[in-house]
Amino acid sequence: MRIYGDSISGNCLKVKWTADHLGLAYEWVETSVLKAESRTPQFLAMNPAGQVPAVVLDDGRPLAQSNAIILHLAEGSDLIPGDAYDRARMYEWMFWEQYSHEPYVAVARFQMHYLGKSLAELDPKIIERGEAALARLDKALARSAFLVGAAVSLADVALVAYTRVAHEGGFDLADYPQVQAWVSRVEATLKIH
């Protein structure tokens, strides 16, 4: 399997961490977003959306979108709850991550950390919605060690990717102590740093 990803991208790191946690063999192909390497004709032939991450499975089939990839890789593993309701709750968090967390926390991070913008230059709604997302996580994590029950799941993998670097987007995780503790638990479980 080949994973095309940019090491600065939380969405790409989700795929790497899932593959590593599961002990899957892969070749990492560094694909820089900042250098538009996902926009080459060769890359677009594999993934017409022109986004990383993308994988080419062992049988040659391509697959894109971080959460679709990690769901495929983790099929039948301990990262996907066996209970149907818990599995649905995992999906709920994963869908929420892409709609209500990543567009704010990750976008603020990208604009500040990689484009050099100041906090004052960001759209205030990005910060407001990012803070609301972190507050929702903090409240949920006051009730359990992980997002779905007592064990790490793909919900945690999906949400820790950008949460752990939220400070690079102007968010102070000290304001969210449950989130801070959870980030440490997930990093320890997945052996990431």
Side-chain angles (χ1 to χ4, degrees):
M1 173 173 62
R2 283 191 314 279
I3 302 173
Y4 293 83
D6 190 328
S7 296
I8 70 169
S9 164
N11 283 327
C12 296
L13 291 174
K14 289 182 212 178
V15 175
K16 180 184 186 321
W17 297 334
T18 300
D20 288 346
H21 180 76
L22 298 171
L24 302 176
Y26 63 89
E27 172 192 355
W28 180 269
V29 181
E30 187 67 25
T31 308
S32 172
V33 172
L34 296 175
K35 295 178 184 173
E37 292 175 351
S38 62
R39 300 294 182 176
T40 66
Q42 297 84 359
F43 189 91
L44 291 169
M46 175 191 54
N47 180 10
Q51 299 170 319
V52 289
V55 301
V56 176
L57 302 170
D58 290 337
D59 62 10
R61 293 180 296 170
L63 186 61
Q65 295 299 315
S66 61
N67 286 347
I69 295 167
I70 64 176
L71 281 162
H72 178 74
L73 296 180
E75 186 73 33
S77 79
D78 64 345
L79 291 175
I80 299 177
D83 177 76
Y85 179 73
D86 285 346
R87 195 166 47 253
R89 288 183 55 233
M90 178 194 73
Y91 295 141
E92 177 183 17
W93 279 113
M94 292 174 76
F95 299 152
W96 178 82
E97 181 261 343
Q98 285 291 288
Y99 187 78
S100 299
H101 180 282
E102 192 267 356
Y104 308 110
V105 176
V107 168
R109 174 189 180 242
F110 186 80
Q111 289 185 10
M112 289 182 69
H113 196 68
Y114 295 102
L115 300 183
K117 291 186 178 183
S118 69
L119 187 59
E121 292 176 281
L122 299 186
D123 179 345
K125 286 184 180 181
I126 290 174
I127 299 303
E128 176 186 314
R129 290 175 181 164
E131 287 173 348
L134 293 168
R136 178 166 187 240
L137 278 175
D138 204 61
K139 186 175 179 181
L141 290 162
R143 295 188 296 272
S144 65
F146 296 100
L147 291 171
V148 181
V152 71
S153 74
L154 289 179
D156 301 290
V157 175
L159 276 150
V160 81
Y162 285 111
T163 301
R164 67 192 289 270
V165 291
H167 62 280
E168 294 176 357
F171 301 101
D172 186 355
L173 287 186
D175 295 337
Y176 310 98
Q178 302 299 328
V179 170
Q180 268 189 319
W182 165 79
V183 166
S184 294
R185 283 191 299 276
V186 176
E187 288 176 335
T189 303
L190 297 178
K191 298 181 176 90
I192 56 176
H193 47 321

